[in-house]
Each structure stands twice: as structure tokens, then as C-alpha cells.
């Protein structure tokens, strides 16, 4: 092996070991160094995946999102981290009552549906965000997406039914509100 290949292998293994030991800052630093020194290196795809995961695991969702956007070759792992980081950034903004920003991030999460569970969650929280803003016609289809796509997940379906019940109630469509609330009560899991 050449000095360059030994150096590449050493830097990659060092970075990967830091990642596996949970030393996110050191992992990110050494993984980025690998990318800068070996932009066409044999581990570049795995390095990109690891950097995006490391940013995600530090809960710096904004950095994870920005990094995944910057990667030219988007692996399924990169796309999934983008989806999840966008979702969690949306939840952060929702919890800060920054609803417009939350809508942007939930919508962004839905733009890359890699993980069904997070797709369902993004629809639910997007519906909740619209409902808080009294944008009931925007909320309804997202609650419906949860019901249609949640499979056997009764808890998610029930939360969506409950939200739909309130939409119909606020629209003074009491018949459909009653149907949704009854479904919720009949299927509520303690």
C-alpha cells in the first residue's frame, strides 16, 4: 500500500471509531477532514452518511439538514437523515410556537419519504400545526393521510381521528364530528 492509501485508511478508521464511541464533535471534525483531504476517497459515501448521522445525533438538526442538502450523492441514509432531521426541527419549532417555520420543516420532511413512521408523524404534526393556525382545510388531508397510512398503528389513527373530530366540530359539521369522536372513544387504547 502507498502512504496515501495508508493515510486515507487511518483517517477513516480514526473518524469511524470516534463516531462509534459517541464522540460526535471529534467524529465530525475527522470525517470532515477526510472529505477535504480525500474528496474522491473510497469511503466518501460512508463518510457522508456518518457525518449526517453525527450531526443528527448531536440534535443539531439545522446542521444535519444543511449538511444533507450539500451532499451531491444522496444515499438512502442521507435522505433518511434529512427526513428525520427536518421532522425533529419542525417539532422544535412547533414547541417554540414558531408555527410557520414548523410547517416548512414538516413539509420538507415529507418531501423525502424514506421512513414510513416519520412520514406518518410529519403528516400528523403538520395537521396539528395547521389546526392551531385555524387552517382547517389544510389540516384535514394530513390527518387523513395518517389514517390511510398508519396501518395497524391504532394510536396514530386515533390521534388523527380526534383531530378530524375537532375540525368538523369547528366547522359546525356535528354529524361528522360525532362520528370521528365516537371512533376515537370506541378505539381508544388505555
Amino acid at each position: 500500500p502507498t502512504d496515501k492509501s495508508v493515510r486515507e485508511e487511518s483517517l477513516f478508521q480514526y473518524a469511524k471509531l470516534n463516531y462509534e464511541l459517541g464522540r460526535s464533535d471529534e467524529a465530525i471534525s475527522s470525517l470532515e477532514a477526510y472529505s477535504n483531504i480525500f474528496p474522491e476517497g473510497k469511503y466518501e459515501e460512508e463518510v457522508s452518511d456518518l457525518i449526517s448521522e453525527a450531526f443528527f445525533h448531536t440534535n443539531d438538526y439545522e446542521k444535519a439538514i444543511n449538511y444533507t442538502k450539500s451532499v451531491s450523492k444522496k444515499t438512502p441514509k442521507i435522505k433518511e437523515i434529512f427526513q428525520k432531521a427536518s421532522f425533529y426541527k419542525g417539532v422544535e419549532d412547533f414547541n417554540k410556537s414558531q408555527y410557520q417555520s414548523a410547517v416548512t420543516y414538516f413539509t420538507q420532511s415529507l418531501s423525502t419519504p424514506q421512513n414510513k413512521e416519520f412520514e406518518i408523524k410529519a403528516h400528523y404534526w403538520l395537521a396539528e400545526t395547521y389546526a392551531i393556525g385555524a387552517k382547517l382545510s389544510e389540516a384535514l388531508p394530513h390527518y387523513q393521510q395518517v389514517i390511510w397510512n398508519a396501518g395497524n398503528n391504532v394510536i396514530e389513527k386515533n390521534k388523527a381521528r380526534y383531530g378530524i373530530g375537532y375540525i368538523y366540530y369547528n366547522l359546525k359539521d356535528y354529524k361528522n364530528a360525532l362520528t370521528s369522536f365516537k371512533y376515537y372513544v370506541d378505539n381508544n387504547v388505555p
Side-chain angles (χ1 to χ4, degrees):
T2 66
D3 284 347
K4 185 177 179 183
S5 67
V6 170
R7 185 170 176 224
E8 178 181 6
E9 185 71 31
S10 297
L11 183 53
F12 173 72
Q13 293 303 331
Y14 173 76
K16 188 174 179 182
L17 181 60
N18 277 308
Y19 174 80
E20 290 171 356
L21 292 173
R23 298 177 185 153
S24 296
D25 290 337
E26 184 61 31
I28 290 167
S29 176
S30 51
L31 289 163
E32 287 177 332
Y34 176 95
S35 286
N36 291 332
I37 297 168
F38 306 103
E40 302 295 323
K42 65 181 180 178
Y43 298 109
E44 188 53 35
E45 279 186 31
E46 189 173 355
V47 165
S48 294
D49 287 350
L50 290 172
I51 292 173
S52 67
E53 288 180 40
F55 278 132
F56 180 76
H57 291 304
T58 63
N59 298 335
D60 192 337
Y61 304 123
E62 191 70 39
K63 279 188 179 175
I65 291 164
N66 289 334
Y67 178 77
T68 56
K69 282 181 176 179
S70 75
V71 174
S72 57
K73 187 171 183 184
K74 300 199 180 351
T75 64
K77 178 55 83 179
I78 294 285
K79 291 176 184 177
E80 185 174 0
I81 293 294
F82 177 79
Q83 178 191 20
K84 289 179 177 181
S86 296
F87 170 76
Y88 282 120
K89 181 65 177 150
V91 171
E92 275 184 357
D93 288 352
F94 180 92
N95 289 334
K96 293 177 187 173
S97 300
Q98 296 172 350
Y99 301 119
Q100 190 62 38
S101 180
V103 165
T104 299
Y105 285 109
F106 291 137
T107 302
Q108 186 171 280
S109 178
L110 288 169
S111 74
T112 312
Q114 296 293 304
N115 180 302
K116 193 69 162 172
E117 176 187 353
F118 278 85
E119 183 180 356
I120 291 165
K121 287 179 178 187
H123 275 296
Y124 176 77
W125 284 102
L126 186 53
E128 287 286 291
T129 307
Y130 280 136
I132 285 174
K135 295 181 177 181
L136 305 179
S137 62
E138 285 95 337
L140 186 59
H142 291 286
Y143 282 131
Q144 289 169 331
Q145 284 292 324
V146 172
I147 292 167
W148 296 331
N149 293 304
N152 293 329
N153 189 332
V154 176
I155 293 170
E156 293 295 329
K157 283 183 178 181
N158 279 345
K159 291 186 331 188
R161 288 278 182 196
Y162 190 78
I164 289 172
Y166 266 103
I167 286 175
Y168 285 134
Y169 179 82
N170 288 326
L171 294 172
K172 300 184 184 340
D173 182 347
Y174 300 120
K175 180 182 175 200
N176 281 323
L178 182 62
T179 302
S180 291
F181 286 136
K182 182 168 178 10
Y183 183 92
Y184 173 80
V185 169
D186 291 347
N187 293 285
N188 196 16
V189 178

